[in-house]
Amino acid sequence: MRSESLDLLRFPLALVIVGIHVLDFRGFQIDGITVDTSGYRILQFMYNLKAAFFKDQSVPIYFFISGYVFFLGRNMNAGKFKTKFKNRLKSLFIPYVSWNYLALFLMLLAKLLVYAPADNTASELDFSVGAILNTLWNTNMGVINNSGDTAIVPQDFAMWFVRDLIIIVLTTPLLYIIIKWAKCYVVLSFCIVWIYCWFFESMFWKQMSVGYFFFSLGAFFSINGRDMILDFKKFSIASFMLYPLLGMALFWSLEYELSVYTALKCLNIICGLFFAFNLAVYLIEERNVKANSFLAASSFFIYAGHPLFLPPVQKAVFTLLHPLSEPMLILALAVTFVVTLAMLVGAFYIANKSWLLTGLFIGRHYSGKRRIVLESGITDTVYYKKI
């Protein structure tokens, strides 16, 4: 049940992230015409719905899964940590480096071959050793350093999750000791820090705090030998009631009282964790819903690759459809989402044919055969076979 619920969640969570980023814009240009979407009521409704119910919900669940499966087996020792670190080198670090430098290569091609003749952006590139290394940490100090974005993200911006997860994994021996000693109190401490960081402008510390809180929460269940499915089911009715109610409250706050949004959002992210797993268990037990093994296996590829696929697909769709009215704009967004997703699933299918590509960009090869052992979060699934 635990394995099936984790697999059932992976693909929908990846879809939510892609959908959120499809909606992450407030205006655009077509043939020199600037279109401001602020006056579109239906689109504004979609923005608020996204912010209330879906934004910031998927990644905390991925962190929780990562913490839970990292410590499966409970009793850790030096040998087990060594094996875990070796596995994470393949499933986290190598794909992290590969995706970020692929993103850099594609952006350089766009700048040098497409945009450079018009705006001479080639002169703004920095190929120093520090800039090349910063591609993996902070793109604002990287090779292409003219974005002006205040967020500290790598070149493939979605991979901030993997970057932070690598940092957390490196501290797992210490985390294991303090969770064994302080038990739920250390998780509560991380929760307080996470809520505190929500009120800061620093996106990096907000991201790190959410990682440590939800990773340690998952770790707490494994280290103490607790069955998360049984524990979560105790709160199934509460989660089915509170998550939509808090979502509606968040929706209201975006319209009338923005000052309470952050506090409500923290509560709903926690409720969303319980809601997601309880919903998965309900669908499996009561509706006999099964995860599609191929789609579950493609989740990490979709998550990591969508920042590379989404911009050109959106540009092509908008150029083709010329969405100058609200209905056409909503249609363009829907087409962008479907085409991006289809291309990512297709690309995963092709990449999975090559052991080299799966080793570089996924860290696992999809074999179609179900395995029992889980290893880490979004990057691992019972349908992968080790390289």
Side-chain angles (χ1 to χ4, degrees), residues 31 44 47 61 107 112 137 139 191 248 273 291 306 335 347:
D31 295 338
Q44 188 61 48
Y47 287 151
I61 298 175
M107 292 186 71
L112 297 176
W137 183 266
T139 186
C191 180
M248 288 186 286
L273 173 67
H306 80 273
V335 172

Side-chain angles (χ1 to χ4, degrees), residues 105 256 272 349:
F105 173 74
Y256 302 106
Y349 177 80

Side-chain angles (χ1 to χ4, degrees), residues 244-259:
L245 286 174
L246 284 170
M248 288 186 286
L250 284 163
F251 190 90
W252 170 86
S253 72
L254 290 167
E255 288 283 348
Y256 302 106
E257 192 57 57
L258 193 59
S259 61

Side-chain angles (χ1 to χ4, degrees), residues 293-360:
S293 63
F294 177 79
L295 294 180
S298 71
S299 300
F300 177 70
F301 192 93
I302 292 171
Y303 175 85
H306 80 273
L308 283 62
F309 282 72
L310 182 55
V313 169
Q314 188 174 64
K315 183 176 178 62
V317 170
F318 276 48
T319 301
L320 180 65
L321 296 182
H322 280 70
L324 299 179
S325 65
E326 187 173 21
M328 285 300 297
L329 178 57
I330 294 173
L331 175 63
L333 293 173
V335 172
T336 298
F337 176 78
V338 173
V339 172
T340 300
L341 181 62
M343 291 181 67
L344 285 164
V345 173
F348 170 75
Y349 177 80
I350 295 171
N352 194 64
K353 298 293 184 180
S354 166
W355 286 89
L356 175 62
L357 292 178
T358 52
L360 288 175

Side-chain angles (χ1 to χ4, degrees), residues 192-320:
I192 294 171
V193 172
W194 168 61
I195 294 173
Y196 185 69
C197 287
W198 259 85
F199 294 90
F200 276 119
E201 292 295 327
S202 175
M203 183 60 69
F204 174 74
W205 291 112
K206 178 180 173 182
Q207 291 169 342
M208 284 301 302
S209 65
V210 70
Y212 267 103
F213 168 47
F214 285 95
F215 186 94
S216 66
L217 180 60
F220 171 81
F221 278 88
S222 282
I223 291 172
N224 291 282
R226 302 192 66 88
D227 188 326
M228 70 173 188
I229 298 299
L230 292 179
D231 285 342
F232 279 22
K233 285 179 74 172
K234 296 174 184 178
F235 303 96
S236 59
I237 297 177
S239 66
F240 289 150
M241 294 177 62
L242 284 175
Y243 180 70
L245 286 174
L246 284 170
M248 288 186 286
L250 284 163
F251 190 90
W252 170 86
S253 72
L254 290 167
E255 288 283 348
Y256 302 106
E257 192 57 57
L258 193 59
S259 61
V260 301
Y261 174 84
T262 298
L264 290 174
K265 189 63 180 177
C266 289
L267 290 174
N268 213 32
I269 290 174
I270 297 174
C271 286
L273 173 67
F274 286 78
F275 176 83
F277 277 104
N278 285 324
L279 179 61
V281 171
Y282 169 78
L283 292 174
I284 293 168
E285 289 185 337
E286 303 297 331
R287 301 298 179 183
N288 200 32
V289 176
K290 301 295 182 183
N292 181 284
S293 63
F294 177 79
L295 294 180
S298 71
S299 300
F300 177 70
F301 192 93
I302 292 171
Y303 175 85
H306 80 273
L308 283 62
F309 282 72
L310 182 55
V313 169
Q314 188 174 64
K315 183 176 178 62
V317 170
F318 276 48
T319 301
L320 180 65

Side-chain angles (χ1 to χ4, degrees), residues 41-72:
R41 296 302 302 168
I42 297 177
L43 196 61
Q44 188 61 48
F45 176 85
M46 294 171 63
Y47 287 151
N48 291 348
L49 197 67
K50 172 198 73 174
F53 287 92
F54 302 107
K55 188 178 180 181
D56 298 315
Q57 296 290 157
S58 292
V59 170
I61 298 175
Y62 282 138
F63 274 123
F64 176 87
I65 295 173
S66 300
Y68 185 83
V69 299
F70 187 93
F71 290 102
L72 277 179

